[in-house]
Amino acid sequence: MKALAEKLFIFFIAIAFVIGCTSELDFDQAEDLSLEPVIESSFIFYQLSAEEINTEATSQSMVAPFMIRDTVALDLFNESFLNDNLIRIDITRDTENSTDEDVEVVFNYVDDSFEPTVAPFSFDAPANTDRPGIVTSYQGEDLELLKRSTQIVAELVVSPTQSAFSDSGLIEIRSKATLYLRID
Amino acid sequence: MRLFLLLVFIIVTSSYSQNKQLLYDFKELPQSLMLNPGADVSNYKFHFGVPLLSHIHINAGVSGLSAYDLFADDGRSFNEKVREVLFDLSRNDVYTANQQLEVFSGGFRPKNFQDKRYFSFGMYQEIDIHVYHPKDPAELAYEGNGGANINRVYDFGDLDLSGEMLTVFHFGFNKQLNDKLTYGFRGKVYSSIFDMRSTNNDALFYTQPGERNFYRHILIADVTVNSSGYADLRDIESEDTEDGSRQVLSKFRNRALLGGNLGLGFDVGLTYQHSEQLSFTGSIQDVGFIRHNKDVENYTVNDAESLEGVELLFPGIDGAEEDDDFWQDLLADLDERFSPDTTSTAYTSWRPMKLNGSMRYDFGKKKDKDCNCSAEKGDYLNAIGVQLFAIKRPRLPQFALTGFYYRRLSDFLRLKGTYTIDKFTAYNVGLGMSMHFGTFNVYLMGDNLLAYRDLSKARALSLQLGFNFVFPTTDNPFTE
């Protein structure tokens, strides 16, 4: 009888080992996981002094208003991770113009054959003025168009306010991109 | 992403550390020799385990997190819960997994069972996975470097993981030197089946206000992942056929039987019987290494870069030349520099060394009904004591402190209850029992029993069971 009691005792302990309770869990929730990181990245920048611009303008015998230009190949959206998960991009630009010339800052987003993908971005930076925080936001269809860009053509149109060029001052352009990602 | 999460959860839900507080110093069980080669086995004549069933050990757990925290069906947003969990865990929280299976084991007392020495041997298979919570990379992936995270230094050294599968062939020597002291030694040959580790990483990423542009981004990386036994499998698995899986098994079998990367190690231990009732034990397990020189694949990134953005120079200005592709080339170069280089240089991995110690006090002699007097020497029915366990891990050793009560209910049944405090939980109650049907022995042990009230909230569980035949030196097994 004692042996039987012992065996029963063991049996119940064994059961306790095997059977445990558990709260209601829903593992399908993992399907809902979506990360939405916000990435801040420095973007295009340049600094030009009035002196540099004038030297170039003089050597090229350019007549005001004149334009200088730089083309940069930046195939950023070729990366499939960015291409698949980017839902919005904000490009923020600051300009500081301490020269005596009015300038127009232009960024053209173009594809391989120099066809514009989205409307060019341009703004005026009048002489001796700072213009911080000019934001362009791309999402939805605009973003899809922007993603086709493989090159950026930056232009600076200089319109001297006086008949003679002044050599003082600096034009500084800073920009950053804020990338909103959604990773499902 | 989902796959990654699933992987984390497989590790989380099937894992834990290697403390075997219930089995340690459980003298009736030959597997206690695996934890302390100097265990007191003075009344063993010989023993052997039932092949493949003599010791099955599974540990499951994670520090700081339970399945309930993430998957409770409570109507809260899953992303919110993930966020809470990610930000609550510290970089020293761990996901660890350990599984062992004894393939065969045995032991004997030489010279017609009269000797003071006891030899034991066997082979077991082990899987050990240990991953620190990658706090900074996970938080960077979760919320990005923007907003309040400008100036935050992300430490990719938080990436710290090791996983291995191996078999161990061992031979142990145990000797009762005198009435007080028993010591033992076990030599081990490790046969690695698979190994992957990345434990000494030094990498930073941060974004700070720039001088000439909005931000300066700084990336410094010195990251290495070592692997062995992986490259070979990848080639097979890509075929994805029945034949492929047969090839994998055949490779595993070959490596398990000393055909792969090999290593050496040892355990030492002792039991000191201070008085009839008071005893001390101590042991060190797995002081050893594996040299990986076959099928090695290492991945390294070692570079640094600091960048303020894409600077335009305007051709012609200040002598700048026309080079439209300058930045495209630079980005490609960066991509190349921060992509892992693959090498096959041999490396050495150290086994996670473990330390055990205990103090035990036996009391309560069995009463002899016939003469109404106490039984002979050593015939105690109860024991209490404390045990300390430590395991070496890449950053810091992990400790566990256990208090136990042992009770011999009858010749047939012995029980051991434990209360353990460790990294995973401060309420770990465990129960182990050993049943003896003549020379046949069955044991079953589980810890964290309180967690069984709600398994989904459990952070760690472990289970050990096995079947042995133990032939004692006396007719009455283990009553001494």
Side-chain angles (χ1 to χ4, degrees):
Chain A
M1 196 60 213
K2 194 184 162 216
L4 180 67
E6 261 170 14
K7 274 175 191 155
L8 279 174
F9 175 57
I10 291 153
F11 177 71
F12 283 117
I13 289 179
I15 291 288
F17 269 115
V18 178
I19 302 174
C21 296
T22 173
S23 292
E24 202 61 31
L25 295 184
D26 176 12
F27 285 98
D28 290 342
Q29 290 180 80
E31 296 281 317
D32 302 339
L33 180 70
S34 120
L35 302 186
E36 298 187 358
V38 179
I39 309 289
E40 290 270 313
S41 170
S42 272
F43 197 40
I44 287 171
F45 70 102
Y46 60 85
Q47 289 182 348
L48 293 172
S49 67
E51 193 181 351
E52 287 171 331
I53 297 168
N54 291 341
T55 310
E56 171 71 0
T58 313
S59 74
Q60 300 289 320
S61 313
M62 290 192 275
V63 184
F66 62 87
M67 181 175 78
I68 57 171
R69 176 187 280 153
D70 193 2
T71 301
V72 55
L74 268 184
D75 197 0
L76 295 175
F77 301 104
N78 190 22
E79 189 81 26
S80 71
F81 175 79
L82 205 54
N83 205 4
D84 293 347
N85 298 301
L86 188 66
I87 54 169
R88 176 179 150 193
I89 184 167
D90 290 353
I91 297 172
T92 307
R93 302 172 184 86
D94 282 2
T95 64
E96 289 176 27
N97 182 359
S98 57
T99 68
D100 296 326
E101 281 100 19
D102 289 341
V103 297
E104 187 191 1
V105 178
V106 185
F107 290 101
N108 299 288
Y109 299 90
V110 299
D111 62 16
D112 285 339
S113 45
F114 289 91
E115 290 295 322
T117 53
V118 290
F121 173 81
S122 81
F123 61 94
D124 292 325
N128 296 302
T129 329
D130 294 346
R131 294 194 63 189
I134 306 163
V135 183
T136 337
S137 190
Y138 301 90
Q139 51 190 325
E141 209 169 308
D142 284 348
L143 179 61
E144 290 311 309
L145 292 170
L146 182 72
K147 284 180 181 174
R148 294 186 198 160
S149 319
T150 57
Q151 308 185 79
I152 295 169
V153 182
E155 292 168 340
L156 190 68
V157 184
V158 184
S159 316
T161 50
Q162 296 148 9
S163 50
F165 293 151
S166 155
D167 263 358
S168 75
L170 208 61
I171 294 167
E172 290 181 76
I173 310 291
R174 302 156 182 260
S175 72
K176 66 170 183 174
T178 308
L179 302 133
Y180 296 85
L181 301 172
R182 182 179 294 150
I183 307 160
D184 292 318
Chain B
M1 195 61 218
R2 252 172 233 149
L3 190 71
F4 168 74
L5 191 83
L6 194 68
L7 201 72
V8 167
F9 250 82
I10 288 168
I11 294 168
V12 166
T13 50
S14 65
S15 61
Y16 177 55
S17 78
Q18 301 194 12
N19 191 8
K20 294 180 183 171
Q21 71 274 28
L22 286 155
L23 187 55
Y24 188 77
D25 205 25
F26 208 123
K27 299 175 191 176
E28 294 91 324
L29 298 173
Q31 280 72 26
S32 64
L33 276 170
M34 296 306 296
L35 303 177
N36 179 3
D40 174 14
V41 288
S42 51
N43 58 344
Y44 281 37
K45 220 193 299 186
F46 66 96
H47 80 268
F48 58 90
V50 175
L52 296 171
L53 292 175
S54 55
H55 184 60
I56 299 167
H57 160 84
I58 305 161
N59 254 328
V62 56
S63 66
L65 168 67
S66 71
Y68 182 84
D69 295 338
L70 275 183
F71 293 108
D73 195 6
D74 56 4
R76 290 172 58 218
S77 139
F78 184 66
N79 287 313
E80 189 53 40
K81 288 188 277 189
V82 169
R83 193 194 151 79
E84 257 174 38
V85 163
L86 277 186
F87 286 75
D88 274 359
L89 293 176
S90 90
R91 70 190 291 269
N92 285 324
D93 274 312
V94 295
Y95 315 95
T96 71
N98 187 252
Q99 167 274 337
Q100 286 179 359
L101 176 72
E102 216 165 60
V103 178
F104 66 87
S105 68
F108 60 94
R109 199 167 286 288
K111 294 189 182 163
N112 209 15
F113 314 123
Q114 301 302 310
D115 206 89
K116 288 286 184 193
R117 291 171 301 169
Y118 194 79
F119 296 125
S120 58
F121 56 87
M123 170 193 178
Y124 65 91
Q125 163 273 332
E126 177 171 350
I127 293 175
D128 188 44
I129 299 169
H130 186 267
V131 181
Y132 281 106
H133 176 59
K135 188 172 177 66
D136 278 8
E139 289 183 6
L140 180 61
Y142 193 87
E143 58 178 17
N145 66 337
N149 293 330
I150 299 298
N151 280 327
R152 174 171 170 181
V153 178
Y154 287 93
D155 184 355
F156 280 64
D158 286 1
L159 288 174
D160 190 318
L161 57 97
S162 53
E164 62 179 334
M165 177 152 85
L166 71 162
T167 54
V168 182
F169 297 81
H170 59 88
F171 189 89
F173 165 88
N174 174 294
K175 185 172 182 183
Q176 192 183 5
L177 201 64
N178 51 44
D179 282 352
K180 284 194 179 298
L181 188 66
T182 304
Y183 69 93
F185 174 88
R186 181 176 309 284
K188 290 177 163 177
V189 174
Y190 303 113
S191 187
S192 173
I193 297 171
F194 178 87
D195 185 80
M196 185 168 281
R197 57 192 63 240
S198 181
T199 58
N200 265 322
N201 295 321
D202 202 357
L204 299 175
F205 169 73
Y206 59 101
T207 302
Q208 64 184 29
E211 284 169 33
R212 304 171 66 207
N213 200 356
F214 279 93
Y215 303 122
R216 169 167 287 274
H217 304 286
I218 293 141
L219 179 58
I220 303 166
D222 183 1
V223 175
T224 302
V225 178
N226 296 119
S227 83
S228 83
Y230 170 62
D232 222 13
L233 294 183
R234 190 186 43 208
D235 297 344
I236 298 173
E237 277 169 348
S238 58
E239 289 174 18
D240 197 27
T241 58
E242 200 175 309
D243 181 56
S245 52
R246 219 180 353 249
Q247 283 186 53
V248 171
L249 280 178
S250 135
K251 278 186 191 300
F252 273 19
R253 204 175 301 128
N254 178 40
R255 292 179 196 162
L257 298 172
L258 305 173
N261 293 303
L262 301 178
L264 287 174
F266 67 88
D267 305 346
V268 286
L270 56 84
T271 300
Y272 179 71
Q273 195 73 40
H274 180 71
S275 65
E276 194 182 308
Q277 287 173 282
L278 184 64
S279 60
F280 300 90
T281 71
S283 74
I284 301 171
Q285 294 165 256
D286 280 323
V287 182
F289 67 92
I290 297 173
R291 181 72 180 156
H292 302 269
N293 49 24
K294 293 181 193 163
D295 197 21
V296 172
E297 203 167 87
N298 307 313
Y299 316 95
T300 58
V301 176
N302 190 351
D303 219 316
E305 184 59 60
S306 156
L307 208 56
E308 286 202 329
V310 175
E311 184 173 15
L312 302 186
L313 294 174
F314 292 91
I317 303 249
D318 238 7
E321 286 180 23
E322 178 89 51
D323 184 3
D324 293 357
D325 288 331
F326 178 79
W327 283 99
Q328 192 65 34
D329 293 347
L330 190 127
L331 291 179
D333 177 55
L334 274 182
D335 199 35
E336 166 70 28
R337 280 163 54 203
F338 287 94
S339 297
D341 292 331
T342 307
T343 66
S344 55
T345 322
Y347 68 96
T348 301
S349 66
W350 292 89
R351 300 250 44 226
M353 190 173 81
K354 289 159 281 269
L355 198 80
N356 291 287
S358 78
M359 185 173 78
R360 171 186 174 125
Y361 182 76
D362 289 274
F363 63 98
K365 285 201 175 188
K366 191 178 179 181
K367 297 277 190 245
D368 194 321
K369 284 174 195 146
D370 295 338
C371 70
N372 197 24
C373 55
S374 290
E376 286 304 299
K377 168 184 173 284
D379 197 8
Y380 293 101
L381 296 176
N382 307 279
I384 55 166
V386 287
Q387 293 170 191
L388 180 71
F389 170 81
I391 181 166
K392 187 182 174 297
R393 289 303 190 184
R395 281 184 207 153
L396 289 169
Q398 285 162 20
F399 293 94
L401 187 67
T402 298
F404 72 87
Y405 171 65
Y406 164 91
R407 169 78 190 181
R408 201 172 83 218
L409 279 181
S410 69
D411 289 343
F412 163 71
L413 179 67
R414 294 104 208 276
L415 295 174
K416 182 177 176 182
T418 56
Y419 187 93
T420 302
I421 299 171
D422 62 14
K423 191 179 182 71
F424 301 89
T425 165
Y427 311 100
N428 183 349
V429 174
L431 185 63
M433 62 179 164
S434 176
M435 291 168 281
H436 301 261
F437 309 88
T439 57
F440 182 62
N441 155 245
V442 181
Y443 64 94
L444 178 62
M445 301 170 164
D447 79 354
N448 238 314
L449 298 182
L450 296 178
Y452 281 77
R453 288 177 304 179
D454 190 343
L455 281 176
S456 65
K457 290 179 183 166
R459 288 176 174 177
L461 295 171
S462 91
L463 192 66
Q464 291 144 44
L465 63 101
F467 303 87
N468 295 297
F469 288 92
V470 183
F471 295 82
T473 48
T474 51
D475 291 339
N476 194 3
F478 307 112
T479 53
E480 298 183 8

